[in-house]
Amino acid sequence: MIDEPARVLYTQGIMVIAIKKGTPPEEMRAFADILEQQGVTVHISEGASQTILGLIGDTSRIDEERLRAQRLVEKVIRVQAPYKRAHRQFHPEDTRIAIAGPDGGTKYIGGGFLGIIAGPCSVESRDQIIGIASAVKQAGAGFLRGGAFKPRTSPYSFQGLGEEGLDLLLAAKKETGLPIVSELMDISHIDAFDEVDIIQIGARNMQNFTLLKELGQRRKPILLKRGLASTIKELLMAAEYLIAGGNEHIILCERGIRTFEDFTRNTLDLSAVPALKRESHLPVIVDPSHASGLAWMVPALAKAAVAAGADGVMIEVHNNPETARCDGEQSITPEEFAGLMTALRKYAACEGRSL
Ligand code: PEP
Ligand code: MN
């Protein structure tokens, strides 16, 4: 048996209507109302160069020929990909995720804005997280990361400080004004994530459909990491679960995949960046830390990611990588991070993108 959101996706076509330039907005809205009377939901996406109507629901009763005959219709397309609302056809412009900062300002990821997320693999102590947060902020990071609930391969490894870790992360947010990113592993912890600005779904949970369905009901931005052995299509289908539930605030993250190569912890699939950006309107960031597992390789991969069109990077930074309780080998120091930021600023500037 196929479960409900998937069944809806596969059996009910999504239709996209491109509206002719210069169409008066009232005329377009009246047209959208007529379509809605035929039992579909119309999603209007007004871009700078093109307005698109995305029809969701049972489009089987909509007569395509008649649509094409309408004066205001430029083109009618049926989206064939199984990921429909994540597809760029549905929303031709880049999606820009807005995150309200604690200082009253708004930060963006996507649509020309690079999101630079930095911080330790896991929150270890008040001094550690506040010290790193201040250093990465000083260097120009836009967001602070820190794991409180850690998905560890061994049950004997440090599992994170849990709720205490989130409290410390919130203290660092208060101190620095940086919005925070942290991984949610179990929906039963959701209440503790109230003040977490971006919820991370880790690689190991990318296909935890129960979790995805729950998060689809919320309006929190989600950082969705690609599974260790997931295809680009599977990542987009995971995003589709969130969008199908109504949560469109998604940032995709390429973090390396399993291959035969064992020089690096994983293999950074940089081709996923242009592929995802071509297929989807969602912002795409790269995590070179988990991709390589090697601190010395992180700056090169981070620069390559931005050059390949990524909308940001997520970097593990630790004040003392040698004593880190998790992922020290792949963590760069605040000084190294500051050096990387100098380079990333130049890359961003030459492409006309903002940090
Ligand atoms: C992390 O970012 O801390 C993490 C565990 O990453 P991933 O899920 O990509 O392994
Ligand atoms: Mn880590």
Side-chain angles (χ1 to χ4, degrees), residues 120-122 145 150 225 265 287 289-290 316 326-327 330-331:
C121 180
S122 59
R145 66 151 284 148
K150 295 301 304 173
K225 299 191 85 175
R265 182 175 178 183
D287 168 355
S289 309
H290 291 89
E316 285 190 341
C326 182
D327 287 351
Q330 67 192 36
S331 300

